[in-house]
Amino acid sequence: MSQAETDRFRRRCAQFRWLAVFMVVSVGALLALMYLLAPGLLMARGDYPESPTRWLAQVVWALPTVFYLFAVWSIGAAMGQLSKGRLIQPTLVHALRRVGLALGFGGLLSVFGVTNVMRLIEGGRGGWAYFDVAGMTLGMIGGALFLLGGVMEQAGKVQAELDEMI
């Protein structure tokens, strides 16, 4: 890879990092406004039109999004490290593991956690699992990324051992 290609790659990584930061901050701010700030202000004034239980149910439905935003943040952090010239292999291993865990937990929470917490909040109504295909897909992709991160970590260790022998 030539120096010009390396510089272009680093610039793109830096741009992607800022795109990830923008996404996490803007979506996170909107979620905080929708589920925390506005209802909190309305409840403090006594103008909240729904019961606190309904508000809690809405917050529970939004919880998987927090994990998904953490996955995007982790990707952005990895891109930031690459833009600064950090080695690709260790950065990628760390990013794959973090993103995999975040997507996996978000998917599990979306499919099993949300529905069962909602059953508790709403007094036992509803099913045991919500067959959210997007949540299932993200959970499976998260698990696969986590496993790939482990394989890459092991490959890096083997490569280091081989480098020491030569």
Side-chain angles (χ1 to χ4, degrees):
M1 190 181 248
S2 70
Q3 186 61 38
E5 290 172 328
T6 302
D7 291 341
R8 187 176 13 194
F9 173 72
R10 287 184 179 167
R11 275 194 312 275
R12 287 183 180 163
C13 287
Q15 291 169 344
F16 193 87
R17 177 186 179 269
W18 286 111
L19 178 64
V21 168
F22 173 75
M23 181 184 166
V24 170
V25 169
S26 61
V27 172
L30 286 172
L31 287 173
L33 178 66
M34 286 173 30
Y35 295 110
L36 299 175
L37 296 176
L41 289 173
L42 289 173
M43 282 184 208
R45 288 185 358 193
D47 293 337
Y48 192 66
E50 299 178 21
S51 70
T53 304
R54 180 72 183 133
W55 168 76
L56 184 59
Q58 291 173 349
V59 170
V60 168
W61 275 109
L63 281 179
T65 308
V66 175
F67 287 97
Y68 302 146
L69 287 177
F70 180 73
V72 172
W73 183 265
S74 296
I75 291 170
M79 292 295 122
Q81 292 295 318
L82 292 175
S83 73
K84 294 175 185 172
R86 182 139 184 224
L87 294 175
I88 290 175
Q89 199 273 338
T91 303
L92 194 55
V93 165
H94 186 67
L96 284 173
R97 298 227 106 174
R98 289 177 67 179
V99 170
L101 283 174
L103 291 178
F105 282 128
L108 282 173
L109 184 61
S110 175
V111 173
F112 297 108
V114 168
T115 56
N116 288 309
V117 171
M118 292 298 291
R119 285 172 52 86
L120 291 173
I121 292 171
E122 295 178 348
R125 292 184 306 159
W128 292 98
Y130 174 61
F131 293 100
D132 174 23
V133 176
M136 288 183 206
T137 303
L138 286 173
M140 290 299 294
I141 290 170
L145 289 176
F146 182 78
L147 292 174
L148 286 174
V151 169
M152 287 188 66
E153 184 177 35
Q154 188 63 31
K157 290 177 183 177
V158 169
Q159 181 66 44
E161 283 182 35
L162 290 173
D163 288 345
E164 288 176 6
M165 290 180 189
I166 295 179

